[in-house]
Each structure stands twice: as C-alpha cells, then as structure tokens.
C-alpha cells in the first residue's frame, strides 16, 4: 500500500467513525476541491439571494414587515460571510471565489434567478426557499467538515426565523381580500417547482452525490431531502388554504408520504447554465456592487498599511 493509499484509508476510517475533519488534518485533494466547490456555491447563493428580497425593502407593506425583511437580508449577508470564511480554511481566499462568481464561472442556487414580482413573493421565498434551505442545511450541520458544520448550526437557527416570517406573510395574505389570496396563490404557483429544484438533480443524474455521501459531506441524497421538504410543506399549505400547483400530488397512506409530479429538468439546467429570467441582472448587480464598493476596500487597505508603517517606524 502506498503512503497516499494509507492516508486515504485512515481518512475514510475517521469519517466512518464520525470524527470531524478539521482544516489542518490531512485530506484527499479531491475532498478539498469538492468542498470548496460546494461551499463556495453555497456562499454565493446567500449573497445573490439578498438581491430578490432586497428589492422589496422599500415597498414592504408595514414598518414591522420592513424591519423583519431588513433583518433577513442582513442575515443572508452574514451567512455568506460565515461560509466564505469556512471555505477559506480549505486554502482558497474569498477574493478568488468572488472573482469566479463575477466572471460567471461559479454557480449559485437556481432559485435566485426568478423575479420577485410582488409582496407575496417575499412570503413565498421565506416559506418555501428558506424551508427548503432548512431541510438541506439541517443535514449539512452534521457534515464531516468541521468548519462547515459549525457555520450551518448557526445559520439554521436564523433560517428558522426566516421561514416563520415567510409563512406568516402567506397566512396573513390567505386571510385577507380576494386579491391578496390570489397574489399568494400566484407566488406559490411560480416558486413551488423552482424550490423543488433547489435540492439538485435526481440522485441518478447527480454526478457528485455518490462520493460526497461516502465522505459524509452529504448525509442524504438529493431525492430524499426533496421528499422530506414536500412532506413537511404540503400540510402547511393545506392549513392556510394554498393549493400546491401539482395535479399529481397525492398522499400515500402506506408510505405516509406524498406522491408528486414531474420536475421540468430542462428548465433547471437552462437556469443553472445562465439562461434563466434574471441571471444576467443578478450577476450585473454583484459586479456593480463590487465596483461601487471598491473605494471602501481601497480606503480600508490604505488605512491598514499606513497603520503598519507607523507601527514599524515607532
Ligand atoms: N442550483 O451532483 P449535484 C439559501 C449543480 S441559499 C444551482 O447534485 P451536489 C438562501 C451542482 O452545483 C441555498 N446549481 O451536486 C439564501 C453541480 O454543478 P457543478 C443554497 C445546482 O453538490 C438567501 C450540478 O448541478 N444552498 O438557502 O452533490 C435567501 C450537479 O449537481 C443546484 C446550498 O448551496 C441548484 N439548486 O448537490 C434565502 C447548500 N443543484 O458544480 C435562502 C449546499 C445542483 O458540477 N449545497 N446544482 O458545476 C448542497 O447541498 C449541494 O451542493 C446541492 C447539489 C444539493 C445544491
């Protein structure tokens, strides 16, 4: 057995016995690479995810809703920063990762390439998108890489607030006028299927799942988590009178789980390749933010360099 094979064997044994992998531990280059890919995509999703919701801060229907939305958007920025920091422990700086995003070479969640057309969309995002994120991230809070798992624990707590405020918006609208009910239903009609796509392709079409499951980066496959989300969400929809836009949706008494329809995978791949409704707009917003904020970065760098020189001269 070669030295690398021995290290790989010990690494897998550590994972199998539930010991966390920490930044200074030996790890296969592929583990590092896969985690960097997945975590940076996640960090980018948090940052890009601020855009569709940030759009509605000035138009929130009450002060209470405005405060909650500002806090939520701010939380997403924090999530992005935790995850960029955790990704840096694998050896790639956030500047390199952000550069790839701005050059259109990095992925982020499909869901943020859909427009937010009215206030009900903010409710639907909190309820469905954060709901899907919680199902996925509760699993990731037990992932094998320590810094990612620890970031997820805090993030999940905050996502729970987001989910509740989203569901409350939907419940209030479903208790409102005929027009408000129609708006809430329309938002769910548009966001339901893209939310199911957030879990990624079906296991049989997921190139990364098998290895990530072996390394316990993922604790469950994409299909299992998607089903868990559906089983949790459908009763919530029924409780407030929302109809899930799926003619095939049916409760199966034997499996105690819902049967459901077909995802339009062509739409999914089209969106993640950059051809969704808002991909160009989202990327341009991040490029503008980077360019407009550059003077702040330059000023902070100049200040720290001046301070360093002063210290050296003293
Ligand atoms: N969107 O082999 P697969 C949030 C890509 S933010 C875009 O299954 P994997 C929130 C995938 O990257 C939520 N691309 O991959 C924020 C791969 O492409 P590459 C973000 C997707 O990694 C603000 C290819 O398809 N959460 O909650 O095993 C406000 C094949 O896929 C997507 C995370 O990022 C997608 N949905 O599994 C509110 C969680 N799905 O890299 C809320 C962390 C797949 O080969 N990530 N692709 O070019 C994960 O759990 C996993 O990476 C995924 C995909 C389940 C997403």
């Amino acid at each position: 057995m070669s030295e690398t094979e021995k290290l790989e064997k010990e690494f897998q044994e550590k994972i199998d016995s539930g010991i966390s992998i920490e930044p200074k531990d030996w790890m296969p280059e592929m583990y590092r690479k896969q985690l960097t890919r997945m975590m940076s995509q996640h960090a980018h999703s948090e940052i890009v995810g601020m855009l569709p919701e940030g759009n509605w801060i000035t138009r929130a229907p009450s002060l209470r809703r405005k405060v909650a939305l500002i806090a939520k958007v701010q939380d997403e920025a924090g999530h992005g920063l935790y995850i960029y920091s955790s990704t840096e422990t694998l050896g790639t700086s956030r500047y390199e990762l952000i550069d790839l995003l701005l050059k259109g070479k990095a992925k982020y969640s499909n869901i943020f390439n859909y427009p937010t057309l009215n206030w009900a969309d903010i409710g639907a995002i909190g309820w469905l998108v954060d709901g899907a994120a919680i199902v996925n991230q509760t699993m990731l809070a037990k992932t094998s890489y320590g810094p990612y798992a620890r970031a997820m624990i805090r993030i999940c707590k905050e996502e729970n607030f987001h989910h509740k405020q989203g569901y409350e918006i939907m419940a209030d609208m479903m208790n409102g006028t005929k027009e408000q009910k129609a708006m809430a239903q329309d938002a769910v009609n548009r966001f339901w299927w893209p939310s199911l796509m957030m879990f990624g392709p079906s296991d049989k079409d997921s190139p990364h799942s098998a290895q990530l499951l072996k390394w316990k980066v993922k604790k469950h496959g994409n299909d299992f988590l998607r089903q868990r989300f559906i089983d949790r969400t459908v009763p919530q929809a029924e409780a407030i009178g929302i109809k899930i836009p799926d003619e095939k949706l049916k409760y199966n008494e034997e499996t105690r789980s819902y049967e459901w329809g077909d995802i339009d995978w062509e739409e999914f791949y089209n969106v993640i390749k950059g051809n969704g409704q808002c991909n160009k707009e989202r990327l341009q917003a991040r490029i503008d933010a980077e360019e407009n904020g550059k003077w702040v970065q330059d000023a902070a760098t100049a200040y720290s360099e001046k301070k360093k020189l002063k210290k050296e001269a003293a």
Side-chain angles (χ1 to χ4, degrees):
M1 193 185 274
S2 71
E3 188 56 28
T4 313
E5 282 168 344
K6 199 169 148 255
L7 285 166
E8 276 174 357
K9 186 169 170 285
E10 283 167 10
F11 176 81
Q12 190 62 48
E13 281 166 3
K14 223 166 141 181
I15 296 216
D16 293 342
S17 57
I19 300 171
S20 277
I21 305 301
E22 295 299 333
K24 288 187 179 156
D25 294 346
W26 185 89
M27 60 185 83
E29 265 324 291
M30 214 41 204
Y31 179 86
R32 189 185 299 279
K33 218 171 140 190
Q34 275 284 14
L35 264 174
T36 306
R37 174 193 68 82
M38 186 171 144
M39 290 166 66
S40 61
Q41 286 179 2
H42 191 168
H44 299 328
S45 304
E46 299 284 352
I47 300 299
V48 178
M50 294 164 73
L51 298 168
E53 293 185 282
N55 247 345
W56 280 88
I57 290 175
T58 54
R59 291 169 287 170
S62 70
L63 186 58
R64 179 169 177 264
R65 294 283 182 221
K66 194 191 284 273
V67 168
L69 187 58
I70 291 174
K72 181 179 193 297
V73 173
Q74 220 168 13
D75 285 351
E76 311 302 357
H79 298 174
L81 295 183
Y82 303 151
I83 309 172
Y84 281 128
S85 297
S86 328
T87 315
E88 283 185 325
T89 65
L90 290 160
T92 312
S93 80
R94 71 188 65 192
Y95 303 105
E96 291 170 79
L97 301 172
I98 292 170
D99 192 49
L100 289 174
L101 172 72
L102 300 183
K103 287 186 173 139
K105 290 184 182 165
K107 287 197 171 67
Y108 57 86
S109 184
N110 67 299
I111 194 76
F112 303 117
N113 293 305
Y114 293 86
T116 39
L117 304 178
N118 63 49
W119 176 252
D121 290 8
I122 300 304
I125 289 181
W127 174 40
L128 299 176
V129 176
D130 286 82
I134 290 168
V135 169
N136 178 271
Q137 290 169 189
T138 306
M139 175 265 305
L140 289 174
K142 295 186 194 116
T143 189
S144 57
Y145 189 55
Y148 194 23
R150 291 189 285 276
M152 282 303 120
I153 291 170
R154 174 151 180 192
I155 290 176
C156 281
K157 287 185 182 153
E158 293 177 350
E159 301 285 29
N160 271 308
F161 281 106
H162 301 170
H163 181 248
K164 283 193 182 118
Q165 67 87 37
Y167 189 54
E168 192 192 65
I169 292 174
M170 298 310 276
D172 276 0
M173 291 188 85
M174 290 307 289
N175 234 341
T177 61
K178 204 167 98 225
E179 287 77 12
Q180 285 171 319
K181 285 181 188 166
M183 273 166 76
Q185 182 61 56
D186 170 60
V188 174
N189 292 349
R190 284 178 288 109
F191 277 95
W192 176 254
W193 291 102
S195 300
L196 298 190
M197 295 173 195
M198 283 176 71
F199 294 92
S202 216
D203 296 342
K204 63 177 179 16
D205 301 315
S206 160
H208 304 300
S209 279
Q211 185 61 64
L212 291 177
L213 284 163
K214 187 167 176 238
W215 281 328
K216 296 194 180 167
V217 169
K218 281 177 159 182
K219 304 281 271 193
H220 295 289
N222 299 351
D223 291 328
F224 175 90
L225 294 172
R226 189 170 9 249
Q227 185 68 48
R228 178 178 277 183
F229 169 72
I230 293 170
D231 290 342
R232 276 188 188 181
T233 311
V234 175
Q236 292 167 3
E238 283 168 357
I240 57 172
I242 289 266
K243 187 178 178 312
I244 298 294
D246 179 353
E247 291 309 322
K248 292 188 181 162
L249 192 74
K250 195 173 103 205
Y251 189 67
N252 182 325
E253 294 287 347
E254 259 170 52
T255 58
R256 292 169 158 257
S257 168
Y258 285 88
E259 290 166 11
W260 46 281
D262 305 309
I263 291 180
D264 181 351
W265 290 115
E266 206 181 310
E267 175 180 325
F268 170 76
Y269 287 113
N270 199 33
V271 170
I272 69 170
K273 275 187 205 140
N275 304 319
Q277 290 178 57
C278 299
N279 296 61
K280 289 190 183 66
E281 185 185 328
R282 301 291 184 240
L283 204 58
Q284 194 55 49
R286 290 312 315 155
I287 293 169
D288 292 347
E290 191 70 16
E291 284 172 2
N292 295 337
K294 195 171 178 304
W295 69 271
V296 181
Q297 286 185 25
D298 289 347
T301 310
Y303 177 73
S304 75
E305 271 164 16
K306 196 174 154 201
K307 231 173 135 185
K308 210 168 104 197
L309 285 175
K310 231 172 149 182
K311 211 171 156 193
E312 278 167 9

